[in-house]
Amino acid sequence: MTHTIRDKAKLLARVRRIRGQVEAIERALETEAGCEQVMHLIAGMRGATAGLMAVVVEDHVRTHLVDSQKFPDALNGEAAEQLLDIIRTYLR
Amino acid sequence: MTHTIRDKAKLLARVRRIRGQVEAIERALETEAGCEQVMHLIAGMRGATAGLMAVVVEDHVRTHLVDSQKFPDALNGEAAEQLLDIIRTYLR
Amino acid sequence: MTHTIRDKAKLLARVRRIRGQVEAIERALETEAGCEQVMHLIAGMRGATAGLMAVVVEDHVRTHLVDSQKFPDALNGEAAEQLLDIIRTYLR
Amino acid sequence: MTHTIRDKAKLLARVRRIRGQVEAIERALETEAGCEQVMHLIAGMRGATAGLMAVVVEDHVRTHLVDSQKFPDALNGEAAEQLLDIIRTYLR
């Protein structure tokens, strides 16, 4: 069995915002916008992608590393937070 | 005067590929695909975004740091390559 | 109770190698080595630091997220591997 | 001719601070400190290393891409700032 993603609506909203950012890059290139504008648009999209990944990884850690129905108290919440804290540092 | 991007067609092809990757993430969420599949799709899109940024930065360094019409020999090509080499390491 | 690190000897060897790399950067600056050499030394040290972090995070995920003595079967090994796979992508 | 680094003293101070951070990681492992403390020490050192790289790259862009004695006005200062701005985003 695969693990589905919680909070589907929120994640879809994030992905659609990223799609809008990609379309803005496309338009910037088509209208021959300045290089610096294109670099900033890409950097913004990269940040949004990192934010999306952070949410999905967080969901994965909180809900899939341990089956909380079978093992309700097994996940060490503090250790999970420490891990997510470090991952977020690297995902910026 | 702003600086426009060279090789517009190649860059547009890259951006459209990234748009396709974003749409694949959207579909994966809509069809409730597994978390691991979504994480891999995002990681792939992030890699493609880094590749796009690398090309735009390279273009910026080679064509905009020095106005090659006014100062044809001023850009130190070796120093520019060393810089791009380091930037590519960080853009992976 | 805090969680100590396994494989202390291997980790210490990694940290000492990084210390050697930092000392090489120091010497390069003191002897006024070229900028490109200093950039490469820093990039190498950064890679080694990412490798060290990957090992510590892996240890953290495998041994601290779930107390394997109290809950021997609770950690979903496959989900943990998927997580580490993604983390390694970002730690390069 | 290679290009030497300006502001040697400031850079050396940065490198020595990083050496101190590496030594703190070494001590933390030797005294079997908690995993979370070790992860934070490594994350701190990684940030300091990114800061060092940013300074060296900045120096490289400002002083080595164009020989300012031979071509005093050739480097486009605005384009150089835009580049450094983007590089700093990635160097965090």
Side-chain angles (χ1 to χ4, degrees):
Chain A
M1 200 201 77
T2 56
H3 305 285
T4 54
I5 303 274
R6 293 188 309 173
D7 288 329
K8 197 171 127 176
K10 270 193 194 166
L11 281 171
L12 273 172
R14 272 183 188 269
V15 176
R16 282 169 193 151
R17 222 172 304 134
I18 293 171
R19 182 148 56 88
Q21 289 174 294
V22 177
E23 287 162 359
I25 298 168
E26 209 174 327
R27 276 194 305 277
L29 289 169
E30 276 166 350
T31 58
E32 310 205 347
C35 199
E36 66 281 13
Q37 196 194 328
V38 174
M39 291 194 294
H40 272 108
L41 289 170
I42 300 172
M45 190 197 108
R46 173 191 180 251
T49 303
L52 173 68
M53 183 63 111
V55 176
V56 175
V57 166
E58 199 168 321
D59 187 69
H60 184 73
V61 168
R62 284 196 217 285
T63 63
H64 302 151
L65 289 186
V66 170
D67 182 334
S68 62
Q69 299 215 293
K70 279 170 71 183
F71 308 99
D73 300 315
L75 185 68
N76 180 332
E78 201 191 336
E81 286 315 308
Q82 288 159 358
L83 174 68
L84 290 171
D85 207 39
I86 290 296
I87 290 174
R88 273 181 225 113
T89 307
Y90 277 82
L91 276 173
R92 269 186 314 181
Chain B
M1 198 200 78
T2 57
H3 304 285
T4 54
I5 303 275
R6 291 186 311 173
D7 288 329
K8 198 173 127 176
K10 271 193 193 164
L11 281 171
L12 273 172
R14 272 183 187 269
V15 176
R16 283 168 192 152
R17 224 171 303 136
I18 293 171
R19 180 147 57 87
Q21 289 174 295
V22 177
E23 287 162 0
I25 297 168
E26 208 174 327
R27 276 194 304 277
L29 288 169
E30 277 167 350
T31 58
E32 309 204 349
C35 199
E36 66 279 15
Q37 197 194 327
V38 174
M39 290 194 295
H40 272 108
L41 289 170
I42 299 171
M45 191 198 111
R46 173 192 179 251
T49 303
L52 173 67
M53 183 63 111
V55 176
V56 176
V57 166
E58 198 168 320
D59 187 69
H60 184 73
V61 169
R62 283 196 218 285
T63 64
H64 303 152
L65 289 186
V66 169
D67 182 333
S68 61
Q69 300 215 293
K70 279 171 70 184
F71 307 100
D73 300 315
L75 185 67
N76 179 335
E78 203 193 334
E81 285 315 309
Q82 288 160 356
L83 173 68
L84 291 171
D85 207 38
I86 289 296
I87 290 174
R88 274 181 224 113
T89 306
Y90 278 82
L91 277 173
R92 268 186 314 178
Chain C
M1 199 199 79
T2 57
H3 305 284
T4 54
I5 303 273
R6 293 185 310 173
D7 288 330
K8 196 172 130 175
K10 270 193 193 166
L11 281 171
L12 274 171
R14 271 183 189 269
V15 176
R16 282 169 193 151
R17 223 170 305 135
I18 293 171
R19 180 147 56 87
Q21 290 174 294
V22 177
E23 288 162 359
I25 297 168
E26 207 173 329
R27 275 195 305 278
L29 289 169
E30 276 166 352
T31 58
E32 309 203 350
C35 198
E36 66 281 13
Q37 196 194 328
V38 174
M39 291 193 294
H40 273 109
L41 289 169
I42 299 172
M45 191 198 108
R46 173 192 179 251
T49 304
L52 174 67
M53 183 61 112
V55 176
V56 176
V57 166
E58 198 168 322
D59 188 69
H60 184 71
V61 169
R62 283 195 218 286
T63 63
H64 303 152
L65 289 186
V66 169
D67 182 333
S68 62
Q69 299 215 293
K70 278 170 72 183
F71 307 99
D73 300 315
L75 185 67
N76 180 334
E78 203 191 333
E81 285 315 310
Q82 287 160 358
L83 173 68
L84 291 171
D85 208 39
I86 290 296
I87 291 173
R88 275 181 223 112
T89 305
Y90 277 81
L91 278 172
R92 268 184 315 180
Chain D
M1 199 200 79
T2 57
H3 304 285
T4 54
I5 303 275
R6 291 187 309 174
D7 287 329
K8 197 172 128 175
K10 271 194 192 165
L11 281 171
L12 273 171
R14 273 184 187 267
V15 177
R16 280 167 194 152
R17 223 172 304 135
I18 293 171
R19 180 145 60 86
Q21 290 173 294
V22 177
E23 287 163 0
I25 297 168
E26 208 173 329
R27 277 194 305 277
L29 289 169
E30 275 166 351
T31 58
E32 309 203 348
C35 198
E36 67 279 15
Q37 195 193 330
V38 174
M39 289 194 295
H40 272 109
L41 289 169
I42 299 172
M45 189 197 113
R46 172 190 179 253
T49 303
L52 173 68
M53 183 62 110
V55 177
V56 176
V57 166
E58 198 168 323
D59 187 69
H60 184 71
V61 168
R62 284 196 218 284
T63 62
H64 303 152
L65 288 187
V66 170
D67 183 333
S68 61
Q69 300 216 291
K70 278 170 72 182
F71 308 99
D73 300 315
L75 185 67
N76 180 332
E78 201 193 336
E81 283 317 307
Q82 288 159 357
L83 174 68
L84 291 171
D85 207 39
I86 289 295
I87 290 174
R88 276 180 221 112
T89 306
Y90 278 81
L91 277 173
R92 271 186 312 181

